[in-house]
mmCIF file of all heavy atoms in Angstrom:
data_model
loop_
_atom_site.group_PDB
_atom_site.id
_atom_site.type_symbol
_atom_site.label_atom_id
_atom_site.label_comp_id
_atom_site.label_asym_id
_atom_site.label_seq_id
_atom_site.Cartn_x
_atom_site.Cartn_y
_atom_site.Cartn_z
ATOM 1 N N SER A 103 3.680 3.600 35.304
ATOM 2 C CA SER A 103 2.422 3.275 34.630
ATOM 3 C C SER A 103 2.675 2.679 33.269
ATOM 4 O O SER A 103 3.594 3.019 32.545
ATOM 5 C CB SER A 103 1.512 4.518 34.577
ATOM 6 O OG SER A 103 2.060 5.483 33.629
ATOM 7 N N GLY A 104 1.789 1.776 32.865
ATOM 8 C CA GLY A 104 2.008 1.131 31.607
ATOM 9 C C GLY A 104 2.743 -0.220 31.680
ATOM 10 O O GLY A 104 2.913 -0.875 30.696
ATOM 11 N N GLY A 106 3.079 -4.044 32.259
ATOM 12 C CA GLY A 106 2.155 -5.166 32.088
ATOM 13 C C GLY A 106 1.431 -4.949 30.763
ATOM 14 O O GLY A 106 1.151 -3.826 30.331
ATOM 15 N N HIS A 108 -1.156 -4.438 27.905
ATOM 16 C CA HIS A 108 -2.539 -3.831 27.847
ATOM 17 C C HIS A 108 -2.677 -3.169 26.527
ATOM 18 O O HIS A 108 -1.775 -2.976 25.733
ATOM 19 C CB HIS A 108 -2.687 -2.839 29.038
ATOM 20 C CG HIS A 108 -1.774 -1.607 28.936
ATOM 21 N ND1 HIS A 108 -0.468 -1.754 29.313
ATOM 22 C CD2 HIS A 108 -1.983 -0.383 28.589
ATOM 23 C CE1 HIS A 108 0.132 -0.534 29.115
ATOM 24 N NE2 HIS A 108 -0.749 0.292 28.622
ATOM 25 N N SER A 109 -3.954 -2.771 26.236
ATOM 26 C CA SER A 109 -4.319 -1.887 25.196
ATOM 27 C C SER A 109 -4.916 -0.603 25.886
ATOM 28 O O SER A 109 -5.782 -0.773 26.736
ATOM 29 C CB SER A 109 -5.320 -2.572 24.267
ATOM 30 O OG SER A 109 -5.823 -1.730 23.285
ATOM 31 N N ASP A 110 -4.487 0.531 25.476
ATOM 32 C CA ASP A 110 -4.859 1.713 26.206
ATOM 33 C C ASP A 110 -6.378 1.967 26.300
ATOM 34 O O ASP A 110 -7.086 1.857 25.251
ATOM 35 C CB ASP A 110 -4.165 2.988 25.594
ATOM 36 C CG ASP A 110 -2.694 2.965 25.974
ATOM 37 O OD1 ASP A 110 -2.254 2.375 26.956
ATOM 38 O OD2 ASP A 110 -2.002 3.642 25.202
ATOM 39 N N TYR A 111 -6.886 2.187 27.527
ATOM 40 C CA TYR A 111 -8.284 2.452 27.812
ATOM 41 C C TYR A 111 -9.298 1.360 27.396
ATOM 42 O O TYR A 111 -10.402 1.605 26.999
ATOM 43 C CB TYR A 111 -8.733 3.822 27.134
ATOM 44 C CG TYR A 111 -7.745 4.939 27.408
ATOM 45 C CD1 TYR A 111 -7.087 5.558 26.295
ATOM 46 C CD2 TYR A 111 -7.463 5.270 28.665
ATOM 47 C CE1 TYR A 111 -6.118 6.544 26.578
ATOM 48 C CE2 TYR A 111 -6.479 6.291 28.937
ATOM 49 C CZ TYR A 111 -5.845 6.880 27.822
ATOM 50 O OH TYR A 111 -4.944 7.890 28.106
ATOM 51 N N THR A 121 -1.683 5.575 20.138
ATOM 52 C CA THR A 121 -0.933 6.269 21.201
ATOM 53 C C THR A 121 0.416 6.485 20.664
ATOM 54 O O THR A 121 0.980 5.709 19.911
ATOM 55 C CB THR A 121 -0.755 5.361 22.473
ATOM 56 O OG1 THR A 121 -2.072 5.020 22.917
ATOM 57 C CG2 THR A 121 -0.067 6.084 23.583
ATOM 58 N N TRP A 258 1.672 3.629 18.030
ATOM 59 C CA TRP A 258 1.156 2.285 17.889
ATOM 60 C C TRP A 258 -0.360 2.307 17.823
ATOM 61 O O TRP A 258 -1.003 3.210 18.270
ATOM 62 C CB TRP A 258 1.624 1.386 18.966
ATOM 63 C CG TRP A 258 1.195 1.634 20.329
ATOM 64 C CD1 TRP A 258 0.043 1.214 20.974
ATOM 65 C CD2 TRP A 258 1.901 2.456 21.360
ATOM 66 N NE1 TRP A 258 0.013 1.745 22.215
ATOM 67 C CE2 TRP A 258 1.110 2.448 22.538
ATOM 68 C CE3 TRP A 258 3.079 3.193 21.400
ATOM 69 C CZ2 TRP A 258 1.453 3.096 23.648
ATOM 70 C CZ3 TRP A 258 3.459 3.869 22.436
ATOM 71 C CH2 TRP A 258 2.667 3.826 23.621
ATOM 72 N N ASN A 260 -3.589 0.727 19.092
ATOM 73 C CA ASN A 260 -4.181 -0.039 20.189
ATOM 74 C C ASN A 260 -5.289 -0.990 19.755
ATOM 75 O O ASN A 260 -5.704 -1.848 20.516
ATOM 76 C CB ASN A 260 -4.732 0.878 21.294
ATOM 77 C CG ASN A 260 -3.649 1.580 22.071
ATOM 78 O OD1 ASN A 260 -2.945 0.939 22.880
ATOM 79 N ND2 ASN A 260 -3.503 2.878 21.859
ATOM 80 N N HIS A 265 0.752 -3.550 24.391
ATOM 81 C CA HIS A 265 2.103 -2.995 24.673
ATOM 82 C C HIS A 265 2.279 -3.108 26.236
ATOM 83 O O HIS A 265 1.348 -3.217 27.009
ATOM 84 C CB HIS A 265 2.233 -1.580 24.226
ATOM 85 C CG HIS A 265 1.279 -0.593 24.838
ATOM 86 N ND1 HIS A 265 -0.005 -0.574 24.502
ATOM 87 C CD2 HIS A 265 1.469 0.298 25.802
ATOM 88 C CE1 HIS A 265 -0.645 0.381 25.221
ATOM 89 N NE2 HIS A 265 0.253 0.909 26.028
ATOM 90 N N SER A 266 3.550 -2.960 26.618
ATOM 91 C CA SER A 266 3.896 -2.981 28.042
ATOM 92 C C SER A 266 5.181 -2.118 28.253
ATOM 93 O O SER A 266 6.152 -2.284 27.520
ATOM 94 C CB SER A 266 4.187 -4.392 28.558
ATOM 95 O OG SER A 266 4.693 -4.411 29.862
ATOM 96 N N ALA A 267 5.120 -1.274 29.343
ATOM 97 C CA ALA A 267 6.343 -0.569 29.729
ATOM 98 C C ALA A 267 7.150 -1.566 30.550
ATOM 99 O O ALA A 267 6.711 -2.676 30.945
ATOM 100 C CB ALA A 267 5.978 0.598 30.598
ATOM 101 N N ARG A 282 3.421 12.296 25.666
ATOM 102 C CA ARG A 282 2.504 11.272 25.192
ATOM 103 C C ARG A 282 1.240 11.956 24.598
ATOM 104 O O ARG A 282 0.822 12.965 25.147
ATOM 105 C CB ARG A 282 2.082 10.462 26.395
ATOM 106 C CG ARG A 282 1.023 9.349 26.121
ATOM 107 C CD ARG A 282 0.903 8.544 27.413
ATOM 108 N NE ARG A 282 0.166 7.320 27.216
ATOM 109 C CZ ARG A 282 -1.151 7.178 27.389
ATOM 110 N NH1 ARG A 282 -1.840 8.222 27.796
ATOM 111 N NH2 ARG A 282 -1.749 6.016 27.205
HETATM 112 FE FE1 FE2 B 402 -0.305 2.156 27.706
#
Side-chain angles (χ1 to χ4, degrees):
S103 67
H108 65 284
S109 169
D110 288 334
Y111 314 119
T121 302
W258 66 87
N260 287 291
H265 63 284
S266 173
R282 179 173 191 266

